Amino acid sequence: MGRIAGAYGVRGWLKVAPGTGVAQALAAAREWWIGEHVYAVAEARQHSASLVARLEGIETREQAMRLKGARVAIERGALADPGAGHYYLADLLGLEVRNEQGEALGTVSNWLSSGAQDVMEVAGSSRTRLIPWVSAIVKQVDLAAGCITVDWGADW
């Protein structure tokens, strides 16, 4: 969901770089998982492109700096339903990717952000492809069948 970018101020607040499209969900969560520890979120709010947060038990700048670089996660149940036609990228990991001709391109192995859009990393048997997550290319997502259909050539 995000990564601790460092301390914010001197009273233990954290500056967090949220993942693409999850800042609001991260700010609304009542608990954060950082490493193997669960922290109660006392306060969290958006601050420019990042979040700032105060966690229970983190009271000094030094304590906050010890968490720098750590990943922040929240429980799946804390996330709102993304709604029809919208997906959490983590839910798409492992789905098979096929083109419109029915050719298997591989499975979604990772997500990258180019700044303009998210990009699927699709690991196939012979190569890895980077496919932009845009409506002109992604034609259908079938979570029940575990498949994403794309307008993408097998030899691209």
Side-chain angles (χ1 to χ4, degrees):
M1 298 287 299
R3 184 176 300 278
I4 307 290
Y8 180 78
V10 296
R11 296 195 173 152
W13 282 70
L14 300 165
K15 185 173 184 179
V16 179
T20 304
V22 298
Q24 189 174 3
L26 194 56
R30 295 287 158 232
E31 291 183 332
W32 287 1
W33 283 86
I34 301 174
E36 295 182 11
H37 302 283
V38 179
Y39 292 91
V41 179
E43 298 178 64
R45 66 178 184 271
Q46 274 199 269
H47 181 71
S48 191
S50 60
L51 294 175
V52 292
R54 185 172 61 84
L55 306 180
E56 298 293 332
I58 307 295
E59 298 175 8
T60 67
R61 180 177 180 81
E62 292 75 24
Q63 289 174 314
M65 285 303 292
R66 280 187 229 133
L67 297 174
K68 184 177 180 179
R71 291 183 182 267
V72 177
I74 62 175
E75 295 226 3
R76 172 65 185 184
L79 297 172
D81 182 352
H86 297 277
Y87 309 94
Y88 287 113
L89 299 181
D91 292 343
L92 304 177
L93 289 171
L95 266 59
E96 181 181 25
V97 178
R98 293 188 164 274
N99 64 18
E100 291 180 305
Q101 292 72 38
E103 299 168 300
L105 302 178
T107 59
V108 179
S109 60
N110 196 13
W111 288 95
L112 309 168
S113 179
S114 70
Q117 72 266 333
D118 292 316
V119 178
M120 283 188 294
E121 184 175 298
V122 179
S125 59
S126 61
R127 61 189 267 208
T128 298
R129 294 174 174 86
L130 298 177
I131 301 176
W133 185 262
V134 294
S135 60
I137 294 171
V138 178
K139 298 302 181 183
Q140 181 182 14
V141 176
D142 188 341
L143 289 175
C147 187
I148 299 172
T149 304
V150 296
D151 181 7
W152 200 261
D155 56 345
W156 296 356

